[in-house]
């Protein structure tokens, strides 16, 4: 997988090394392998599916999360940047490695008590995951797992989201 993710220095701003996953998405075998591995985070050791929904965060979390949901046979819920969802929403603002944003989810997209797997490409500061977990909680549901392609270990993402404890974090690669 690593050879299909390209480092782009100083994008989108000086000092950031951007992890470009578009070559991976263009490789059908690599793409299928990472989707299968991300979906495995929604199964227990016996292979039983243990989540009710997969949530993907706009935009790259859609590309990876939607096929992972299909692989698990559960519904997919998009968490979108502000102003894109037409129904009633819960909203949370947060910081990321290169800016600030607001994420939203439809209030009724996740039922109270449901177990949720978050899927995204990169865990950096953890701001996106932490905000999304808050949105899931606002729906009355619980985030039981997070699955990402890459974790940037020089940033405090794991600490920010409280990995360990009740939150199971799977990173296919750590850089
Ligand atoms: O751990 P964090 O510091 O929050 O960073 C990780 C997030 O940043 C990127 O998304 P971005 O907001 O750039 O959106 P995009 O997928 O639309 O490019 C990436 O896809 C993650 O969602
Ligand atoms: N360095 C990075 N590359 C790609 N996506 C990111 N999201 C946050 N930091 C990122």
């Amino acid at each position: 997988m690593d050879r299909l993710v390209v480092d782009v220095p100083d994008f989108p701003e000086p000092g950031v090394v951007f992890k470009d996953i578009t070559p991976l998405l263009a490789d059908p075998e690599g793409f299928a392998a990472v989707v299968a591995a991300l979906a495995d985070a929604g199964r227990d050791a016996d292979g039983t599916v243990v989540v009710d929904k997969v949530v993907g965060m706009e935009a790259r979390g859609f590309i990876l999360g939607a096929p992972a949901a299909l692989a698990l046979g559960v519904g997919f819920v998009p968490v979108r940047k502000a102003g894109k969802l037409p129904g009633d929403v819960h909203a949370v603002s947060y910081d990321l490695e290169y800016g600030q944003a607001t994420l939203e989810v439809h209030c009724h997209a996740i039922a109270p008590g449901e177990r949720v797997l978050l899927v995204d490409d990169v865990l950096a500061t953890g701001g996106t995951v932490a905000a999304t977990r808050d949105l899931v909680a606002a729906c009355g549901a619980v985030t039981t797992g997070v699955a990402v392609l890459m974790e940037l270990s020089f940033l405090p993402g794991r600490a920010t989201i409280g990995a360990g404890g009740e939150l199971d974090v799977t990173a296919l690669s750590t850089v």
Side-chain angles (χ1 to χ4, degrees):
M1 179 191 98
D2 290 345
R3 78 186 162 81
L4 293 171
V5 177
V6 175
D7 281 357
V8 183
D10 299 321
F11 182 88
E13 59 185 40
V16 174
V17 178
F18 187 82
K19 301 289 181 184
D20 178 17
I21 65 165
T22 58
L24 172 66
L25 303 177
D27 183 295
E29 288 167 8
F31 190 14
V34 298
V35 167
L38 293 168
D40 278 344
R43 298 189 179 92
D44 67 13
D46 298 327
T48 303
V49 175
V50 293
V51 295
D52 303 300
K53 292 274 165 51
V54 170
V55 166
M57 299 81 120
E58 186 172 355
R60 285 169 264 156
F62 295 174
I63 299 168
L64 299 168
L70 288 175
L72 289 168
V74 303
F76 174 76
V77 175
V79 158
R80 299 215 60 180
K81 305 268 168 73
K84 299 289 187 179
L85 291 170
D88 292 340
V89 295
H90 297 296
V92 174
S93 296
Y94 66 106
D95 295 318
L96 69 167
E97 195 182 1
Y98 39 73
Q100 207 265 341
T102 298
L103 288 178
E104 296 180 345
V105 69
H106 271 146
C107 294
H108 301 296
I110 310 168
E114 284 193 320
R115 296 159 301 170
V116 173
L117 173 68
L118 310 187
V119 174
D120 208 347
D121 62 337
V122 173
L123 175 65
T125 66
T128 302
V129 166
T132 304
R133 194 179 45 179
D134 288 349
L135 292 173
V136 170
C139 294
V142 56
T143 300
T144 55
V146 177
V148 296
L149 285 185
M150 261 166 301
E151 176 182 353
L152 307 186
S153 59
F154 54 88
L155 290 168
R158 265 183 197 254
T160 300
I161 64 176
E166 296 186 356
L167 188 63
D168 186 25
V169 179
T170 301
L172 304 188
S173 162
T174 301
V175 295

